[in-house]
Amino acid sequence: MKYYSISEVSDRLDIPESTIRYYEKKGLLPQVERDEAGRRFFSENQITFLGIIIYLKNTHMPISVIKQYVDWVVEGESTIELRLEMMKNHKKNVLAEISLMQEALKGIDVKIARYTKYTQERKEAKEDEFILEKRK
């Protein structure tokens, strides 16, 4: 089995090494192994698991809830229904946030259209002024 250093994992997942260390400190990476010198090394499975943690975090799941998820994973199959329910609830939260963001984006689009129209009108007004000044 191939193992990867923290810097290789950092590059592969495009996250800082400090984030990986933080997740480990918070108990989100319970099975990270270390070599004789104390350096972390990761298997493919651990990298995949870290990827899951990252997408949960990127979808605004709190660290405390991710920790509960990790604890349930470590506990094993007896917690699958709990994990399923957690993921269903989190999906609802993510969908609600997406909906909120889509509504906010509409408001931003209105502002962009307004500002674009305003700047275009100002540009045209200045061009008209320039033409009138030239005619004098």
Side-chain angles (χ1 to χ4, degrees):
M1 180 182 293
K2 181 168 169 55
Y3 288 92
Y4 302 86
S5 69
I6 192 169
S7 63
E8 291 172 318
V9 174
S10 170
D11 290 342
R12 185 166 164 181
L13 297 177
D14 196 28
I15 60 170
E17 290 179 28
S18 60
T19 299
I20 298 170
R21 288 186 196 97
Y22 175 77
Y23 289 166
E24 183 184 18
K25 182 180 175 184
K26 290 295 184 179
L28 305 183
L29 300 171
Q31 299 170 345
V32 172
E33 299 178 53
R34 294 178 183 260
D35 64 14
E36 313 79 46
R39 293 177 296 235
R40 295 165 184 85
F41 60 95
F42 301 81
S43 68
E44 285 290 339
N45 288 342
Q46 291 164 326
I47 294 169
T48 299
F49 192 71
L50 180 55
I52 294 167
I53 291 167
I54 291 165
Y55 73 66
L56 292 174
K57 187 66 183 125
N58 286 345
T59 55
H60 303 157
M61 182 180 275
I63 293 286
S64 60
V65 178
I66 296 172
K67 174 68 168 96
Q68 179 61 73
Y69 173 76
V70 169
D71 291 345
W72 285 339
V73 169
V74 170
E75 282 184 48
E77 283 188 28
S78 65
T79 64
I80 286 179
E81 288 182 26
L82 293 169
R83 289 182 263 162
L84 174 60
E85 192 61 32
M86 176 186 275
M87 290 300 138
K88 286 180 178 180
N89 288 333
H90 185 59
K91 180 179 180 178
K92 286 178 192 173
N93 293 338
V94 170
L95 290 172
E97 189 167 344
I98 289 169
S99 178
L100 182 66
M101 290 293 196
Q102 287 172 331
E103 286 301 310
L105 187 58
K106 289 176 188 175
I108 292 169
D109 285 339
V110 167
K111 286 294 185 191
I112 289 171
R114 237 182 240 153
Y115 294 145
T116 300
K117 181 180 176 190
Y118 176 79
T119 56
Q120 185 61 37
E121 287 171 353
R122 282 194 64 190
K123 181 180 174 187
E124 289 170 3
K126 286 182 181 183
E127 289 172 357
D128 290 345
E129 281 180 32
F130 180 74
I131 292 170
L132 289 174
E133 283 295 317
K134 264 190 136 178
R135 287 186 182 165
K136 289 183 182 181

